[in-house]
Amino acid sequence: MTGVGAGAKDTTTISGRSHAALADDFLRAAVRFTTDRLKDRKRGATEELGRWEEWRERGRAIRSHTVANLDHYLRQFVANARAAGAAVHFAADAQEASAAVLGIVQEKQATLVAKSKSMVSEEIHINSRLEEHGVRVVETDLGEYIIQLAHETPSHIIIPAIHKTREQIKDLFTHDGGQDLGTDTKALVAFARSKLRETFLAADIGMTGCNFGIAESGSVVLFTNEGNADMVSALPKTHIVVMGMERVLPTFADLEVMANLLPRSATGQKVITYMSVITGPRRAREVSGPTELHIVILDNGRSSQLGDAEFQDVLNCIRCGACLNVCPVYRHVGGHAYGSVYPGPIGAVLTPLLLQGEEFADLPNASSLCGACYEACPVKIPLHDMLVALRRRAAQRKAKPGGVRVDRERVAWSGYATLFAKPGRYRLVTRVARIVQAPLARDGYIESTFGPLVGWTGSRHAPALAPEPFRDRFSRMKQDVKVARQNDGKAAESDPR
Ligand code: SF4
């Protein structure tokens, strides 16, 4: 990871946070254990389905077509949602979205909001905004409930409490419940269930995200494994949906493809446990459901990606989290090191694009560019290409005329290009480098360096240059073979048989 130098301790930077995470052996073991399990289960589920590459291509085609025609499908979705009785609000940014939600909450004089897991609501920081106005917000997804008690943010898109031990969860629940619950999983789950049931019944408002909005019907589709979204959307009198503007699908036939891709990629399930399709508020003949349904559609930088050939495909994302599970950087440092709502490869692309500020400009460097994220992505988003493009744009910004500052990276790469462009120079440089590295190399590795190179060896051992250049070795071996053949020939001539 670029910029993770030895001794970086500032936890306001990705470098400092990464160091803190690398020093946390439990976090690393927990993240590796869970992501390994998710990867294995995904492999089993995709093999069981068969023709996975064709499913991926179908998913890519649906999402690309939808995003390319987002204005049309969004208009259709909104018209049908309104026709079904939903109130639709548009929000240009996080500020407007949280103001729209707060307005509804205040109009209903609500004091308790039950929430189901939603990354987009994390994006607009709705919990803190509501709490500032005296409204209690309770997360009802088990993982989100755990991290809410811990006053933390999710560290994985699908498994928010991936970094927590059972012991830590027991401590949080014991503190919340006022009695020692032990570490038995069933007892811990039973405690959470009883607490959350009280919330479902008492909440004035239920708030959810939206996995998909179906344009042909104006329906909101929610995927959960715990059924909490059904409770949150059915029991309170008012249901607020916060939805990223790109989450639209044209038809239910398209949803069928996503219903195969998403659970398999996310958790290795053949099918999601609960899929709720909500079309408008409760009708006269229905016995459950909210009397009001509000859908807040959030832009927050998404429309800026439309028409951008390099980045439009990032809007194809269906938030499955599969790219996190395979990313060597995420698997080492976990989600909090990224410092953004969306971690992992998708976060390293999405966050700088959506928020545009310098605060997250370093995130695209948090990648080895191995391409595993692309291979894992069910809708084939070329995240590795986007990471390179973001790095290129950052370099171009730095190099803008008027900046007198010398860009050290640019100078270094220009020097590299000059020295390595001609074979003669390349040989000379590598011969000199062999001499320079001699005092530092041990058993084929360089364990410590100095000056600007220190970042390379601060958290890893760099392979040393081989003692003998490949070309020299190859020539010597060729010569050895030639001599051996000549000797064989002479031996055959002098053989009396
Ligand atoms: S980029 Fe692809 S793999 Fe990553 S969360 Fe989005 S859909 Fe899933």
Side-chain angles (χ1 to χ4, degrees), residues 157 317-323 346 373 376-379 381 383:
I157 290 177
C317 177
I318 57 173
R319 306 286 191 271
C320 70
C323 54
I346 181 62
C373 46
C377 180
V379 289
I381 301 174
L383 291 168

Side-chain angles (χ1 to χ4, degrees), residues 209-229:
C210 167
N211 287 98
F212 300 106
I214 307 298
E216 69 176 351
S217 65
S219 309
V220 168
V221 181
L222 301 171
F223 285 15
T224 66
N225 276 321
E226 297 165 21
N228 57 315

Side-chain angles (χ1 to χ4, degrees), residues 313-340:
D313 284 354
V314 79
L315 300 177
N316 293 358
C317 177
I318 57 173
R319 306 286 191 271
C320 70
C323 54
L324 279 62
N325 302 336
V326 297
C327 174
V329 174
Y330 178 88
R331 282 161 57 80
H332 273 82
V333 299
H336 289 157
Y338 290 79
S340 60

Side-chain angles (χ1 to χ4, degrees), residues 21 24-38 155-156 159 161-166 168 325 330-335:
D24 185 339
D25 289 342
F26 175 75
L27 178 144
R28 296 173 62 192
V31 171
R32 195 160 50 242
F33 174 77
T34 307
T35 51
D36 277 346
R37 279 186 59 194
L38 291 170
S155 63
H156 189 284
I159 321 272
I162 193 170
H163 57 292
K164 288 274 174 232
T165 62
R166 198 186 307 183
Q168 288 169 325
N325 302 336
Y330 178 88
R331 282 161 57 80
H332 273 82
V333 299

Side-chain angles (χ1 to χ4, degrees), residues 416-426:
Y416 176 87
T418 308
L419 294 174
F420 282 59
K422 301 266 183 203
R425 284 185 216 153
Y426 169 83

Side-chain angles (χ1 to χ4, degrees), residues 264-281:
R264 281 183 166 84
S265 300
T267 52
Q269 290 169 269
K270 292 176 196 169
V271 69
I272 196 72
T273 313
Y274 297 92
M275 181 168 80
S276 316
V277 179
I278 299 159
T279 312

